[in-house]
Amino acid sequence: NKRSETKKNTDVLPPNGGRELLFRKAEEVLKLDAAFEKKSWEKYKEVRESANLPVTRTRKQFLRSKKKLKQRYYKALVSFRNYRKKFHYMLANEIIKKCDVLVHNKLNSQRIYEESKQTWDGPGKKARSNAANLAQGNFAETLKHVIRRTPGKKYITGGGERGTTKTCLYCAKWNPKLKVSDKEFVCKNPKCKEEYPRDAGSCTSNMNEAAQIQHEREKAQEQQEQEEPVQQEQAQQSQPQQEEQ
């Protein structure tokens, strides 16, 4: 009975969608990457000789163990990527169950990827920022794919306005001094002084912008449909006149 209970507990994913398992796999990849970077034959000999210890392994044996470590690293990396893709699909299905219409802002991940390759100078702040944006872009593509194959659901792309988290939702006051750690928006306009969560306000701004764009498209389509019969009538009236001439 105890064995069956432990198997059931390990097989079932956590209620948060498997984030804990995803983080564990990411930590394993980082540990193996750090161990592979530190594994050097020259450093190994230097450490052993400084401690007055004999070098018990040959260079061939050391390189063989380094090759096995590299294989473990790539195996863990492939496992992490596969599970990340699976986790994206699980999270997308959870989101779609809670809504019928999804509004998502535009994110040109291909442009960010090309720029990151050109300006890459090591794992600095710019590289981490680009990696975070690319991860969001991959998840957005997965979300788009899942919602379009689900009947009764609709996907709308926002206008792509930048800085929605730094713009007041009520008076459109711009606050460029906000940091990433600031999760609450406090309007500096003395006539407004509204306070609300930044992420929720940004989502509302994107939804309003997408609704406005959608309304303009529908209005233009209605005008076009109204003008088509008039144009057809004018064309029919002009045909007899051309034949008489």
Side-chain angles (χ1 to χ4, degrees):
N1 292 330
K2 289 183 178 180
R3 289 182 179 178
S4 61
E5 288 179 0
T6 54
K7 283 184 178 180
K8 288 180 181 178
N9 293 331
T10 53
D11 292 340
V12 176
L13 289 172
N16 58 2
R19 289 183 178 86
E20 295 179 1
L21 181 57
L22 184 69
F23 292 152
R24 286 204 301 269
K25 288 181 177 291
E27 289 176 359
E28 183 182 0
V29 171
L30 291 175
K31 287 179 181 178
L32 290 173
D33 186 22
F36 181 74
E37 291 293 332
K38 291 179 181 178
K39 204 170 183 65
S40 171
W41 169 249
E42 287 76 11
K43 290 183 180 179
Y44 170 74
K45 283 179 64 178
E46 184 179 350
V47 169
R48 301 288 292 185
E49 291 174 356
S50 62
N52 294 325
L53 295 173
V55 181
T56 57
R57 303 170 69 184
T58 62
R59 188 173 186 275
K60 188 175 181 180
Q61 291 175 339
F62 184 84
L63 294 177
R64 191 182 300 162
S65 64
K66 187 176 181 179
K67 185 179 179 180
K68 289 182 179 179
L69 181 62
K70 187 177 182 180
Q71 291 174 352
R72 284 178 57 198
Y73 166 71
Y74 281 113
K75 187 176 179 181
L77 186 62
V78 170
S79 176
F80 169 70
R81 287 175 177 172
N82 292 337
Y83 187 77
R84 182 182 61 185
K85 187 176 181 180
K86 181 181 177 182
F87 173 73
H88 281 177
Y89 274 97
M90 289 191 296
L91 189 59
N93 287 319
E94 287 182 5
I95 293 173
I96 290 169
K97 288 178 183 177
K98 300 176 182 178
C99 64
D100 293 330
V101 179
L102 182 69
V103 179
H104 193 271
N105 207 354
K106 288 182 180 179
L107 182 64
N108 193 350
S109 57
Q110 185 66 28
R111 177 182 59 80
I112 296 171
Y113 178 66
E114 294 296 334
E115 288 180 356
S116 63
K117 286 200 301 184
Q118 294 174 3
T119 60
W120 193 80
D121 56 350
K125 184 178 179 181
K126 182 71 175 176
R128 291 197 301 270
S129 176
N130 289 336
N133 289 331
L134 285 173
Q136 294 176 8
N138 292 333
F139 176 67
E141 292 298 324
T142 303
L143 191 63
K144 189 191 302 184
H145 171 71
V146 173
I147 201 169
R148 283 180 174 172
R149 74 178 185 184
T150 306
K153 306 292 183 179
K154 190 173 183 181
Y155 180 86
I156 300 175
T157 305
E161 182 182 353
R162 295 185 178 182
T164 51
T165 59
K166 296 182 180 181
T167 307
C168 181
L169 180 62
Y170 299 93
C171 67
K173 178 73 175 179
W174 174 258
N175 189 0
K177 295 182 180 180
L178 286 175
K179 299 179 181 178
V180 179
S181 58
D182 297 333
K183 299 301 180 183
E184 293 289 328
F185 185 91
V186 180
C187 186
K188 300 297 183 181
N189 189 357
K191 296 181 180 180
C192 182
K193 294 184 180 180
E194 291 287 343
E195 297 183 13
Y196 57 86
R198 286 180 66 188
D199 293 336
S202 176
C203 292
T204 307
S205 298
N206 290 331
M207 186 179 65
N208 294 338
E209 186 185 6
Q212 184 179 359
I213 293 172
Q214 190 71 13
H215 175 69
E216 291 175 357
R217 288 176 181 172
E218 292 176 356
K219 190 176 179 180
Q221 188 175 0
E222 289 178 0
Q223 291 179 356
Q224 186 177 1
E225 290 176 357
Q226 292 175 0
E227 291 175 357
E228 281 181 357
V230 178
Q231 292 176 358
Q232 290 178 0
E233 290 179 1
Q234 292 177 356
Q236 291 175 0
Q237 292 175 1
S238 63
Q239 283 180 357
Q241 295 177 0
Q242 292 177 0
E243 291 176 356
E244 292 176 357
Q245 293 177 359

